Amino acid sequence: MYSLVKSSFFVLFFMLFSGCVATQPSAKKGHEKSFEYEDMYILSALHLEEIGDYNNSSNLFNTLYEASNKKEYLYRSLRNDLAANENGRAIKRVDEISKNSIDDFELTRIKTIALVKQNKLDEAKKLATRLVEASKSVNDYLLVSEIYVKLKEYESALKYLEGAYIKENNEKILESIAVILYVNLDRKKDAIAQLETHSRIHGCSVFICSKLIGFYSNDNNIDGLLSTYLRLYKIEFSRDIAAKIVQIYSYKKDFLKMTEFLEESRSDNELLLQLYIQARNYKKAATIANELYEESGDVTLLGQSAIFEYESSEDKSDKVMQKSVIAKLKETIEVKKEGMYLNYLGYLLIDHSIDIKKGIDYIKEALKIEPNSIYYLDSLAWGYYKLGDCKEAAKIMKKVENMDGSSNEEVVKHIETIKKCNESKKK
């Protein structure tokens, strides 16, 4: 309601003051005022345009044109006619001024658009074709192509779009070409080839890569998708894009390439850690686990880092390495008493004869958590063996022999060693 009242006020105001406008246009330059109230008229016309009162805005701009003879006011007035859907009025006004001439390209464009809006497509096509031949303007090429699309004459539309693209390597124009090829003409390979050629010459922008991803996804072209996502990731370092790349590598079961990508991008170190573990690359696993621990403070990762550090060591008797691993494991179990870390720490102390009794204590703590773990029982038996108590070690191992997992290579070795020890003690 407020906008309507305000609009009416402006119309009434300029009806009262219209007599102040000079009846003969002056020969002023475009940036100079042609009459005293020109600025007020402009502001009011723009305001009416802004609030959607296109009819009255058109009238004011026409008044400005008649008073100044400045074509920009005429064009603005006619565009407001189009916005008001007064297409017949726009055509009539253009005809009265141009007398069927196309020399004023902007007037011809306005008339063409008005004809399109009236669905007089054949007439619009003839006029637009004459216009583009004279103007050679990219926008006019696009206008003709739009008319041909509405007429469903896609080959002709494509021809004009390609003409516009040659003049200006605009991505939006290329998109229109690709859509017509892919959707309307069912020339899917040609559509993709157009986009790929552009991307190889000018680079795969986010816009072009996104269009390619849409086409490749629709065609279920996994290799095309992967290639495009990899190019897109170099432009836009997004975790979502990285996740898509990882997903495709996983689908292809190409874990080597997935690992290489994750190493380069560092987009998912948790997944990278799992890949290192799967590949038994414990040296790299130790480094990543330690990095993750420093980022998160999760002592579970510190414990994992310690285990991987030990497993990746070529010299298991290295005192410096042992000290580092023991320190990390002790720090871990202070916060989180998990059986795995208690057992690992205990076994390390026992196997290297660092502190066998303390090692046994850690393993007993682990067995309180998981009393039937064959590996914890094996570690405990090995502890008693290292203390020379083969009888107790054999007693524990007898229980181990009847459990699943007793065929483990290290467990089998321990069973045999302890059995021999116990038999020798009996003698």
Side-chain angles (χ1 to χ4, degrees):
M1 177 62 75
Y2 173 76
S3 296
L4 181 62
V5 171
K6 203 165 186 182
S7 172
S8 301
F9 169 77
F10 278 112
V11 174
L12 179 61
F13 176 83
F14 284 102
M15 283 174 66
L16 293 171
F17 282 89
S18 60
C20 300
V21 180
T23 54
Q24 293 295 324
S26 60
K28 298 284 186 183
K29 294 181 180 177
H31 62 279
E32 295 178 344
K33 287 202 291 185
S34 301
F35 56 94
E36 185 178 356
Y37 296 106
E38 184 175 4
D39 288 342
M40 291 180 65
Y41 269 74
I42 294 168
L43 290 171
S44 299
L46 290 171
H47 171 75
L48 291 167
E49 187 176 276
E50 186 181 341
I51 64 174
D53 188 352
Y54 300 112
N55 278 309
N56 283 314
S57 180
S58 172
N59 292 336
L60 286 182
F61 274 119
N62 191 54
T63 300
L64 282 161
Y65 168 63
E66 290 174 346
S68 66
N69 207 30
K70 293 177 183 177
K71 280 287 187 73
E72 58 263 33
Y73 295 142
L74 172 62
Y75 301 147
R76 195 69 175 245
S77 174
L78 287 163
R79 288 194 204 103
N80 275 303
D81 284 345
L82 295 177
N85 214 29
E86 294 288 350
N87 303 304
R89 183 170 73 190
I91 292 167
K92 183 180 178 183
R93 290 176 65 192
V94 170
D95 286 344
E96 286 172 356
I97 297 165
S98 65
K99 309 297 183 187
N100 205 36
S101 167
I102 64 165
D103 292 344
D104 188 320
F105 297 152
E106 186 60 24
L107 288 180
T108 308
R109 286 183 196 110
I110 289 168
K111 180 180 177 180
T112 303
I113 293 166
L115 288 167
V116 171
K117 284 165 72 72
Q118 288 187 327
N119 207 34
K120 295 178 179 179
L121 298 178
D122 287 324
E123 191 177 343
K125 178 178 73 173
K126 290 175 185 176
L127 185 59
T129 305
R130 287 177 62 205
L131 172 63
V132 77
E133 287 172 359
S135 72
K136 309 296 183 186
S137 164
V138 168
N139 287 333
D140 294 333
Y141 275 92
L142 297 176
L143 181 57
V144 177
S145 70
E146 184 184 338
I147 295 166
Y148 275 117
V149 167
K150 287 181 180 294
L151 287 166
K152 297 185 179 180
E153 297 178 23
Y154 299 115
E155 291 287 0
S156 296
L158 186 64
K159 182 183 76 172
Y160 280 97
L161 280 170
E162 287 172 343
Y165 178 71
I166 289 168
K167 286 178 168 290
E168 184 181 301
N169 300 132
N170 185 291
E171 292 182 348
K172 288 287 186 182
I173 298 172
L174 181 61
E175 179 197 23
S176 298
I177 292 171
V179 167
I180 287 175
L181 285 169
Y182 194 94
V183 177
N184 302 118
L185 297 175
D186 198 30
R187 290 165 53 186
K188 296 180 178 180
K189 289 183 179 178
D190 290 338
I192 290 170
Q194 286 271 11
L195 294 171
E196 285 287 9
T197 300
H198 178 96
S199 73
R200 302 300 177 189
I201 296 170
H202 303 287
C204 196
S205 67
V206 173
F207 181 78
I208 293 299
C209 276
S210 298
K211 295 302 164 188
L212 278 167
I213 285 166
F215 288 158
Y216 283 134
S217 179
N218 193 59
D219 290 349
N220 200 29
N221 186 329
I222 303 302
D223 290 329
L225 269 175
L226 177 59
S227 168
T228 310
Y229 271 125
L230 285 168
R231 281 178 280 166
L232 185 57
Y233 186 74
K234 289 180 179 178
I235 307 166
E236 196 173 273
F237 300 103
S238 159
R239 288 184 68 87
D240 289 339
I241 296 169
K244 291 287 186 185
I245 293 167
V246 169
Q247 186 180 357
I248 294 169
Y249 277 132
S250 178
Y251 176 82
K252 288 167 65 70
K253 300 190 186 307
D254 193 342
F255 299 110
L256 180 61
K257 288 289 185 184
M258 186 197 294
T259 303
E260 288 174 0
F261 172 74
L262 288 171
E263 285 176 336
E264 183 182 347
S265 67
R266 288 303 180 97
S267 58
D268 192 338
N269 279 347
E270 291 179 9
L271 177 57
L272 183 58
L273 174 60
Q274 297 308 312
L275 289 170
Y276 284 147
I277 295 169
Q278 186 179 329
R280 297 183 180 274
N281 191 337
Y282 297 127
K283 191 169 185 178
K284 287 185 176 181
T287 302
I288 290 291
N290 201 57
E291 286 179 13
L292 286 168
Y293 164 67
E294 288 175 357
E295 288 172 12
S296 67
D298 183 354
V299 292
T300 301
L301 291 161
L302 180 65
Q304 288 181 21
S305 171
I307 293 171
F308 298 140
E309 183 180 347
Y310 181 82
E311 294 296 332
S312 65
S313 176
E314 293 181 6
D315 181 8
K316 297 291 190 288
S317 62
D318 182 348
K319 300 297 181 186
V320 175
M321 178 273 296
Q322 289 176 1
K323 188 176 179 180
S324 169
V325 171
I326 290 167
K328 287 178 181 177
L329 287 170
K330 282 183 175 179
E331 189 177 341
T332 301
I333 62 172
E334 279 178 14
V335 179
K336 209 165 192 175
K337 279 188 164 50
E338 286 192 8
M340 179 175 68
Y341 301 119
L342 286 162
N343 177 67
Y344 206 93
L345 175 57
Y347 186 79
L348 193 154
L349 293 173
I350 291 166
D351 200 43
H352 292 285
S353 301
I354 296 169
D355 190 339
I356 297 170
K357 289 184 178 179
K358 187 65 178 174
I360 289 172
D361 289 341
Y362 283 130
I363 291 163
K364 284 181 177 178
E365 285 292 314
L367 282 163
K368 286 178 184 177
I369 300 166
E370 295 178 61
N372 295 315
S373 168
I374 186 172
Y375 299 109
Y376 300 174
L377 289 167
D378 173 69
S379 296
L380 183 62
W382 194 245
Y384 283 117
Y385 165 76
K386 293 282 277 186
L387 284 176
D389 191 347
C390 295
K391 184 179 179 181
E392 184 62 26
K395 182 180 173 184
I396 296 167
M397 273 305 193
K398 193 169 184 180
K399 183 179 179 181
V400 168
E401 283 184 82
N402 298 319
M403 296 173 73
D404 290 336
S406 59
S407 60
N408 176 275
E409 187 179 339
E410 190 169 7
V411 173
V412 169
K413 185 180 176 182
H414 287 173
I415 289 170
E416 290 174 357
T417 302
I418 290 169
K419 193 178 284 185
K420 285 178 184 177
C421 174
N422 191 41
E423 285 172 357
S424 67
K425 291 275 185 183
K426 285 179 181 178
K427 292 178 184 178

